[in-house]
Amino acid sequence: MVRNMLALLLGLQVLAPVGAQDVYPSRTVRIVQPIPPGSSTDNVIRVVAERLTKALGATFIVDNRPGGGMTIGPQACSNGKPDGYTICAIASDNFTVQPHFLDKLPYDVEKDFKPVSLLFYNVDGLIASAGLEANSVAEVRALAQAKPGSLNFGTNGPGTTSDLFRASVSEDWKSELTAIPYPGGPPIVLALAANQIQLTRLGLGSIGGQLGSGKIKVLAVGGANRSRQLPSVPTYAEAGISFPVRVWWGLFVHAATPDTIVRRLNTEIQKIFADPAFRESLDTQFLEAAGGSEESFARIIEQDKKSTANMIRQFGLAKKQ
């Protein structure tokens, strides 16, 4: 009997560490961002990381990996382990636009990712340098038509929504806005303020302190309604711009990650988005809070893929690079 008891105790000692390892999360979790620090998107992801750290008892850190037209960040999840310790913040660009424009993506958007939660939509706008001699969309259009190719348009690179916007507007205006790629919103804003480029389409939260600097001007905003912060600025529709694509950001993990881990993360994220103060903070940064289940997010992704593909075909914009 003594021998049997010793064997049982030894067995429990061996099993205990294994059981402890099964508790998620038990070590540091990385949230990989495909953009540089400093934007409203980056700021919100950092708040989410802080709150998840408090809620789940393990450290969540933000790992910025800009560049490559925002493809470097998502690649970390597609190449990582399916254990929930690498989470990727990914924009709709990567799923709905890039597959039509880029021939060699370093991941498969259909197979490599599992959605965790939709986070928010960007409230975007057409923004001009203060040095541009145009104070309305109509005036910019007249300039672009008078001198095709003379206006530089800052983008996040080929196959991103900002570049799709540029291509769509160029097609509609029967002119050409010259694409100038940057690794993210902050460097685009700096280039715009320095009049190195004349136009861009960005989430308005990326503008930061430049909004009241006198170095840039917002000519139109996306969405069905005018912005509460910029009530005098017309919407795209009011200004004669037809661009229905909305940019969202969400969290994803490797496609083979267990559903139990995804549900645990989603549950805690929904608690964060249920906080009225958190939602209000997003609104002040020109972000529209979303949230929702992982299943509802998956449906939104599929719907956006179809609507964006239809628009690209309509304008004949798709071109592999």
Side-chain angles (χ1 to χ4, degrees), residues 275-298:
D275 178 4
F278 178 77
R279 298 179 72 89
E280 177 65 22
S281 72
L282 264 64
D283 184 63
T284 61
Q285 299 178 74
F286 297 100
L287 302 174
E288 182 183 321
S293 69
E294 57 269 37
E295 293 85 3
S296 66
F297 186 21

Side-chain angles (χ1 to χ4, degrees), residues 237-282:
E238 290 173 331
I241 294 175
S242 177
F243 191 74
V245 178
R246 299 189 71 194
V247 175
W248 49 253
W249 282 83
L251 295 182
F252 294 79
V253 290
H254 189 287
T257 304
D259 289 339
T260 52
I261 291 177
V262 173
R263 283 192 293 269
R264 181 162 174 74
L265 289 168
N266 181 274
T267 297
E268 295 302 327
I269 291 169
Q270 300 325 303
K271 292 178 183 177
I272 297 171
F273 276 83
D275 178 4
F278 178 77
R279 298 179 72 89
E280 177 65 22
S281 72
L282 264 64

